[in-house]
Amino acid sequence: MRFFARAPGKVIITGEHFVVHDSYALAGAINRAATVEARANDSMEIFSRNLALTASYPRKIPSSLAPIAEAAAATLDFLSLKKKVKLVIDSDIPAGSGLGSSSAVAVASVAAIFALAGEEPVKQKLVELAMISERMVHGNPSGIDPSVSSYGGVLLFRKGKAPDLLRLGRPVEFVVAYSGIVRKTSRLIKKVSSMKETLPNLFKALASSSTTLSKIAASSLTSGDLQTLGSILNFYHMILGRLGASSKVLDSMVEAALSERCLGAKLTGAGGGGCVIALPEPSASTNVLSNLSKISKEAFVARLPVEGVRIWQK
Ligand code: PMV
């Protein structure tokens, strides 16, 4: 018998960075995912197909796989599972692109071990265990990525609280475009957070506005008011740019998206490089996709909502 779990990546729709400082944020699972197989094995092993790398754990583990090894060890411990486990990881989410690749791998790894143990995973427990890996990768993350990966759908999220799962009036399509520029989330969190020291009152006002705007964006999604949502996306891109999270490449991608039949566009996630999301006018996804495909490494349509982590055996 073989045991598998598949966990989706994510886009942050509104509220990145401010969510680290206790504001609300809105994020959705996307049709890119990590799949992990957990097998009983003679020794503890991790094989990443993407990195073409096999490693034994807990010893002799390279830094790229150490966070997953830590989360796996904590999961075995939590489940009191005495078996040695091999994890086989496969993902179609570009690493370091702001689409939640590390979280999806962590959530799928933890969930696959639950499957091997014959245990039905509780979503919040998966988030908790995946956070062991996420803290090693990102420093002090909000937890939004593993929450979206685990619960799926579209979440209104606040650090340390159970997320609100939105009921969308109808599915919504975003175009996701990847700049091809890999960046480090922890460095960008530090850069943006520095404003908290230099301009504390302004930062406080922006963080509180981010909560209000994320809640309005959530209502817009549930009611299908895409015009309002588009304006909010544009506003965020401007503010995140002022805070140092954008770049020339991301700005030109946003501009290209807005040049034709697009209601709003912004960087998504930590920024610096990574991806932008664009909200096309109804039935204009193909136009926006074609515009963005010309200037990005990779672009695709993400139709929300998408299910969260899933486990199976065969
Ligand atoms: O994983 P990324 O790079 O998409 O960043 C997540 C968004 C941040 O708000 C910048 C960090 C966090 O932990 O919420």
Side-chain angles (χ1 to χ4, degrees):
M1 196 72 82
R2 299 165 69 191
F3 300 89
F4 297 86
R6 185 173 196 274
K10 63 91 192 38
V11 287
I12 296 191
I13 302 169
T14 62
E16 50 272 271
H17 286 291
F18 300 110
V19 69
V20 176
H21 304 278
D22 289 335
S23 300
Y24 279 79
L26 187 64
I30 57 169
N31 49 342
R32 290 292 178 100
T35 304
V36 176
E37 180 188 351
R39 300 178 195 153
N41 202 42
D42 294 341
S43 61
M44 303 283 229
E45 236 175 58
I46 301 180
F47 170 52
S48 162
R49 284 193 210 284
N50 302 81
L51 301 173
L53 188 65
T54 305
S56 306
Y57 65 99
R59 276 183 295 160
K60 290 201 217 149
I61 190 92
S63 60
S64 54
L65 295 178
I68 294 301
E70 285 290 325
T75 307
L76 291 169
D77 206 34
F78 171 75
L79 294 167
S80 307
L81 194 62
K82 301 286 177 239
K83 285 181 183 145
K84 295 200 166 59
V85 176
K86 175 169 183 170
L87 297 176
V88 179
I89 299 169
D90 207 348
S91 171
D92 65 3
I93 311 167
S97 68
L99 297 180
S101 148
S102 62
S103 271
V105 170
V107 168
S109 298
V110 170
I113 297 173
F114 269 73
L116 177 69
E119 294 278 341
E120 190 57 41
V122 172
K123 304 257 164 159
Q124 200 52 36
K125 195 72 212 174
L126 296 184
V127 175
E128 255 175 67
L129 291 162
M131 276 299 276
I132 294 169
S133 165
E134 282 295 275
R135 281 192 205 98
M136 287 176 73
V137 178
H138 297 306
N140 184 25
S142 63
I144 192 166
D145 291 18
S147 297
V148 177
S149 204
S150 184
Y151 288 89
V154 179
L155 302 184
L156 187 59
F157 174 90
R158 191 177 183 199
K159 198 164 85 177
K161 299 265 189 293
D164 277 350
L165 197 49
L166 264 59
R167 263 175 198 280
L168 302 196
R170 63 178 104 110
V172 63
E173 288 186 349
F174 288 94
V175 175
V176 181
Y178 177 36
S179 62
I181 301 166
V182 174
R183 80 288 177 287
K184 213 164 160 41
T185 300
S186 55
R187 193 183 66 78
L188 282 140
I189 292 180
K190 218 168 156 193
K191 189 173 180 189
V192 170
S193 300
S194 67
M195 190 196 195
K196 205 174 174 178
E197 268 80 56
T198 52
L199 296 166
N201 290 338
L202 183 55
F203 192 84
K204 203 169 157 198
L206 288 173
S208 141
S209 310
S210 185
T211 284
T212 309
L213 286 171
S214 290
K215 288 182 177 174
I216 297 174
S219 312
S220 307
L221 264 179
T222 48
S223 67
D225 175 5
L226 298 185
Q227 292 282 351
T228 300
L229 181 61
S231 303
I232 294 175
L233 299 188
N234 292 334
F235 179 77
Y236 264 103
H237 187 72
M238 186 188 69
I239 294 296
L240 288 167
R242 287 301 173 102
L243 289 171
S246 193
S247 68
K248 280 202 175 117
V249 174
L250 296 181
D251 289 347
S252 56
M253 288 168 80
V254 164
E255 214 171 285
L258 293 174
S259 68
E260 203 191 319
R261 303 195 63 196
C262 182
L263 298 168
K266 65 182 269 293
L267 68 85
T268 183
C275 292
V276 303
I277 53 167
L279 179 67
E281 287 175 6
S283 74
S285 295
T286 321
N287 300 60
V288 178
L289 179 63
S290 134
N291 259 347
L292 280 171
S293 298
K294 285 177 209 146
I295 56 161
S296 54
K297 177 149 195 254
E298 186 184 350
F300 62 96
V301 175
R303 188 177 159 89
L304 278 44
V306 162
E307 70 171 346
V309 65
R310 183 166 61 84
I311 61 173
W312 73 95
Q313 59 191 62
K314 67 181 185 193

